[in-house]
């Protein structure tokens, strides 16, 4: 199983495999053709409340990750997580985010959970 995390603004690469956008909002200034997104499971993204909480100021990434993992345990999100895990069992999956720091984002939390 191979899971990659990349910025959605980076050009697609052949080794990306299935490209999954894991942001709730479509990335600004990016056309759907340029993004080449295969799936966009909005129910897998952090809730609006959690996103606002995290971006409101000095919040710990570890606390954000814990709260996000709790959201991912909810039935709809858990089902979508299983779906992406199934995709990854068949080949490469790239989680796409518009975050400027993908390694400190929800996409990194997803990647870790998917590889567990």
């Amino acid at each position: 199983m191979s899971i990659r995390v990349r910025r959605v603004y980076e050009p697609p690469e052949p080794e990306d495999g299935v490209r999954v956008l894991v942001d709730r909002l479509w990335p600004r200034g990016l056309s759907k053709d340029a993004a080449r997104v295969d799936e966009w499971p909005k129910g897998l993204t952090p809730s609006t409340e959690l996103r606002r909480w995290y971006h409101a100021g000095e919040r710990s990434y570890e606390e954000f990750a814990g709260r996000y993992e709790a959201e991912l345990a909810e039935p709809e999100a858990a089902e979508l997580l299983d779906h992406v895990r199934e995709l990854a069992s068949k080949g490469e999956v790239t989680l796409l985010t518009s975050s400027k720091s993908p390694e400190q984002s929800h996409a990194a939390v997803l990647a870790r959970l998917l590889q567990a």
Side-chain angles (χ1 to χ4, degrees):
M1 173 183 314
S2 178
I3 305 286
R4 298 174 57 181
V5 175
R6 297 186 64 217
R7 291 199 71 219
V8 69
Y9 297 107
E10 296 173 5
E13 296 179 352
E15 55 272 3
D16 284 348
V18 178
R19 293 171 54 88
V20 180
L21 180 62
V22 294
D23 289 346
R24 188 169 297 271
L25 305 173
W26 188 262
R28 285 188 182 154
L30 188 64
S31 73
K32 292 187 180 191
D33 287 340
R36 281 199 32 232
V37 169
D38 298 308
E39 300 212 12
W40 187 14
K42 293 179 190 177
L44 198 56
T45 63
S47 67
T48 300
E49 296 79 20
L50 181 57
R51 216 175 56 243
R52 287 181 180 158
W53 173 86
Y54 185 50
H55 295 294
E58 294 297 316
R59 308 293 189 188
S60 122
Y61 177 72
E62 290 74 24
E63 186 174 354
F64 165 77
R67 290 180 181 206
Y68 182 42
E69 286 181 34
E71 287 187 354
L72 291 172
E74 296 296 320
E76 178 189 358
E79 186 176 317
L80 290 169
L81 193 62
D82 286 343
H83 171 69
V84 175
R85 191 175 282 120
E86 176 70 21
L87 292 173
S89 74
K90 297 176 183 175
E92 302 288 329
V93 169
T94 298
L95 305 178
L96 302 169
T97 181
S98 61
S99 173
K100 292 180 183 177
S101 300
E103 64 283 348
Q104 290 285 305
S105 74
H106 65 287
V109 175
L110 278 173
R112 181 174 45 79
L113 290 175
L114 288 166
Q115 292 172 337

